Amino acid sequence: MSKRDFILDPIEAAWIFDKAYKKQRHRIATTIEALMLAEPHQDPEVSLEEQHELRELLVSVLDELEPIELWMINALLFEKLSLREVQHILGIPKTTVARKRDKIFEKLRKKLENNPKIKEYLNGNTNTP
């Protein structure tokens, strides 16, 4: 086949599809699929269903925060602002920013640690009904 020939037969192009498929990581959709694909004596990966449930739990807890607390978490974790930058924006000392950050994390931890879904995820219990 010369450089300018086009592959018209799908059988001739099968190697291209195989190579592309091998590079693509399969996303596990359900808990059952995660269990079926897990190696013997290995923990199954977290399925998309479980990821969605965990995200919804986290979002519901974040919604319970005060607006300034939510702003601080967003600025420090997602916007990657330093304590000093947040200090200048809010006009409060850096140590106060750090203490407030720690209190917010403690508040989130207390709300999340008693949730049965979170406990199940952290302990590795994958009991499916």
Side-chain angles (χ1 to χ4, degrees):
M1 180 181 344
S2 68
K3 284 186 174 180
R4 296 185 186 236
D5 287 342
F6 292 102
I7 300 173
L8 299 176
D9 187 9
I11 295 174
E12 289 180 23
W15 65 273
I16 296 173
F17 297 118
D18 290 340
K19 194 169 187 177
Y21 182 75
K22 286 179 186 173
K23 285 187 176 183
Q24 182 181 9
R25 187 172 178 270
H26 178 69
R27 305 261 334 233
I28 297 171
T30 64
T31 306
I32 299 296
E33 185 179 2
L35 289 171
M36 288 184 345
L37 292 175
E39 297 289 327
H41 308 293
Q42 296 291 323
D43 291 331
E45 290 185 36
V46 177
S47 68
L48 292 175
E49 288 175 344
E50 291 171 324
Q51 286 179 11
H52 181 71
E53 289 174 9
L54 292 171
R55 283 187 185 126
E56 288 299 317
L57 287 171
L58 184 59
V59 167
S60 68
V61 171
L62 287 173
D63 283 342
E64 296 174 16
L65 292 177
E66 299 292 324
I68 189 66
E69 293 173 334
L70 191 58
W71 184 89
M72 283 181 66
I73 292 296
N74 184 49
L76 293 169
L77 295 181
F78 304 112
E79 298 296 327
K80 305 279 190 213
L81 295 180
S82 67
L83 291 174
R84 197 169 298 256
E85 291 170 324
V86 174
Q87 165 197 349
H88 289 297
I89 292 170
L90 295 179
I92 58 176
K94 184 173 74 167
T95 54
T96 305
V97 173
R99 273 190 239 117
K100 287 182 182 244
R101 175 203 60 199
D102 295 342
K103 285 182 183 177
I104 294 168
F105 285 149
E106 183 65 23
K107 190 177 189 180
L108 291 174
R109 186 186 65 78
K110 285 181 181 177
K111 289 183 179 189
L112 288 173
E113 74 182 351
N114 295 325
N115 189 299
K117 289 280 186 190
I118 300 291
K119 283 183 179 178
E120 180 181 317
Y121 175 73
L122 292 176
N123 295 331
N125 300 333
T126 53
N127 299 331
T128 54

